[in-house]
Amino acid sequence: MLRACLRSAPLVVLLALACDGAPATSPWDDAEFRTLASEAIEAHVHVVIATYADMVKSAEQLQADVDAFLAAPSAAGLAQARSAWLAAREVYGQTEAFRFYGGPIDAEPDNLEARINSWPLDEVYIDYVDGVPEGGVINDPTQTIDRASLIALNTAGGEDDISTGWHAIEFLLWGQDHRVDGPGERPYTDYVAGPDGTAANQDRRAAYLEVVTDLLVDDLKTVSAAWAEGAAYLDAFEHGDPRDSLTKILLGMGSLSGAELSGERMGVAFDTREQEDEHSCFSDNTHRDLYNNALGLENVYLGRYGALDGVGLGDLIAARDPELDSTLRVQLRATVEAMQAIPPPFDQAIQAPDGDPARDAVGAAIAALKAQTKTIAEAAALLDITLNLEE
């Protein structure tokens, strides 16, 4: 079973989705279609650039709030840092529609996604947990806490040995979640040195949070820069073979919608009913992660983000099969609404008994994802593009 945190490399092709009704003649022989395809790719690039720019801006705000909190730890400062983390995740979730095809965030050898969004993590790898007060790198004085060390430690001993990224920061801000009706409650005094402090090694905990936050911001900037105007990757994507670029866009959509969301991020947790299998388990933000992932898919198809509204994939599909385009638009919107209908916290929804409305809402969202994934594959076939997607 793939773990979402290590799904950073392009998805391995295991199962080809069957798609009937491929066009008898390739649309790529039509000059007008190729022109429209190039316009859709250009619009997609604008969406990517704008989304990543907002992602970096929101991460820099998180960095500023973390720095302010560490300079003078307080309950209010911790609350502000948590709010900034949640706000930044709103944007990052939408960028995940740009993954799963070997782009800048997934490309080897750096594989930045493994540093940025690895999950689920074994909390005791980083810090103390209930019953293990001296656990983790933070409480091991033989471990150096700096950028190089945290990068080297990330997944060094196994897929759950995660030392960097969004969820390492999340754990350091919220701590373990032992509440039924809310997130973790790490006290701000975990960062206060001296007699008023709680836990131990408060200075090392602060150093860890500072380093891991700075690293996240730098990694996100690296990804954003690869999509900036004039960058080699963007130039090849925008001005290379449009069929290749459309294949990547559709592969990213189908992979996120299918194996990633309906499978790893939702299906696994739905089946196991385990809190540890949800995406943002410390902050209870999983329902928003899922919503923004679905919104990102819709953005890609429509060629939109914020004030941007360009030629989308839907325009290409509509030019060949208006009914199929209409079906996929309806499905994408229905999936966004199905995600929105999942009542938080997600861990309580998946643990609810069969037949409970909260659990049924999760099941309905999974079903919506599976339906739209098949239609995405049909749309690709219509464009004479073969998608091999993991189911």
Side-chain angles (χ1 to χ4, degrees):
M1 179 181 69
L2 290 171
R3 299 305 289 174
C5 49
L6 301 178
R7 285 162 280 188
S8 322
L11 282 175
V12 177
V13 172
L14 297 179
L15 176 65
L17 290 181
C19 302
D20 297 326
T25 59
S26 175
W28 300 100
D29 297 331
D30 182 342
E32 290 185 5
F33 177 85
R34 291 182 69 89
T35 297
L36 186 62
S38 294
E39 292 174 359
I41 291 165
E42 181 182 5
H44 177 78
V45 165
H46 292 160
V47 167
V48 174
I49 291 172
T51 312
Y52 275 145
D54 283 352
M55 175 192 68
V56 169
K57 183 179 179 179
S58 64
E60 288 177 329
Q61 184 60 57
L62 167 64
Q63 184 181 39
D65 288 337
V66 165
D67 287 345
F69 166 65
L70 294 177
S74 67
L78 180 57
Q80 181 60 42
R82 289 170 175 172
S83 294
W85 187 93
L86 294 170
R89 288 292 291 181
E90 290 289 299
V91 184
Y92 181 79
Q94 295 175 59
T95 72
E96 296 209 276
F98 316 144
R99 289 191 49 217
F100 304 110
Y101 51 75
I105 194 169
D106 289 312
E108 299 292 351
D110 293 331
N111 195 4
L112 291 176
E113 204 280 336
R115 294 212 303 251
I116 291 171
N117 197 40
S118 291
W119 73 278
L121 63 79
D122 182 2
E123 304 98 306
V124 76
Y125 191 62
I126 294 176
D127 199 3
Y128 76 90
V129 296
D130 281 3
V132 190
E134 298 179 354
V137 171
I138 286 170
N139 297 296
D140 181 356
T142 68
Q143 291 275 16
T144 300
I145 297 177
D146 60 21
R147 178 180 299 240
S149 297
L150 296 192
I151 290 173
L153 285 168
N154 198 47
T155 69
E159 63 179 16
D160 294 340
D161 289 345
I162 295 161
S163 57
T164 67
W166 288 110
H167 300 293
I169 298 169
E170 180 193 11
F171 172 55
L172 288 169
L173 292 177
W174 273 275
Q176 289 178 290
D177 177 13
H178 297 300
R179 295 173 56 193
V180 172
D181 59 348
E185 298 179 294
R186 181 189 291 274
Y188 81 89
T189 48
D190 275 6
Y191 293 90
V192 174
D196 295 329
T198 50
N201 296 303
Q202 297 94 337
D203 56 338
R204 287 176 59 85
R205 187 169 298 107
Y208 196 119
L209 179 56
E210 180 179 19
V211 170
V212 77
T213 304
D214 291 348
L215 177 61
L216 174 69
V217 171
D218 288 346
D219 283 345
L220 294 176
K221 286 180 176 178
T222 297
V223 174
S224 182
W227 282 97
E229 293 290 352
Y233 184 85
L234 179 140
D235 185 65
F237 192 96
E238 185 173 4
H239 303 297
D241 186 342
R243 188 171 184 174
D244 289 344
S245 295
L246 279 179
T247 298
K248 290 177 180 178
I249 294 170
L250 285 160
L251 179 59
M253 286 187 67
S255 299
L256 177 59
S257 178
E260 186 72 11
L261 274 175
S262 72
E264 289 296 322
R265 298 196 184 188
M266 298 188 71
V268 171
F270 186 77
D271 291 341
T272 65
R273 288 183 159 96
E274 291 290 336
Q275 180 192 47
E276 293 295 322
D277 287 325
E278 69 163 323
H279 203 167
S280 296
C281 64
F282 311 114
S283 61
D284 272 346
N285 194 55
T286 300
H287 64 295
R288 294 301 301 175
D289 290 334
L290 299 174
Y291 170 83
N292 284 298
N293 290 166
L295 183 61
L297 289 169
E298 187 180 43
N299 288 346
V300 167
Y301 189 73
L302 299 179
R304 74 173 191 200
Y305 174 75
L308 293 176
D309 189 4
V311 176
L313 284 176
D315 295 293
L316 291 179
I317 303 304
R320 302 282 291 174
D321 188 337
E323 184 176 349
L324 182 60
D325 168 56
S326 178
T327 296
L328 189 46
R329 286 174 187 263
V330 169
Q331 288 177 329
L332 288 163
R333 177 50 20 191
T335 298
V336 172
E337 292 174 355
M339 295 298 195
Q340 198 166 27
I342 298 172
F346 182 80
D347 56 359
Q348 296 306 303
I350 59 173
Q351 291 171 14
D354 292 340
D356 185 280
R359 183 168 170 82
D360 286 349
V362 178
I366 293 171
L369 285 165
K370 290 180 177 180
Q372 79 179 23
T373 302
K374 291 180 179 179
T375 309
I376 289 168
E378 292 174 10
L382 183 74
L383 303 185
D384 198 17
I385 290 173
T386 300
L387 289 189
N388 293 316
L389 299 174
E390 191 177 277
E391 194 172 61

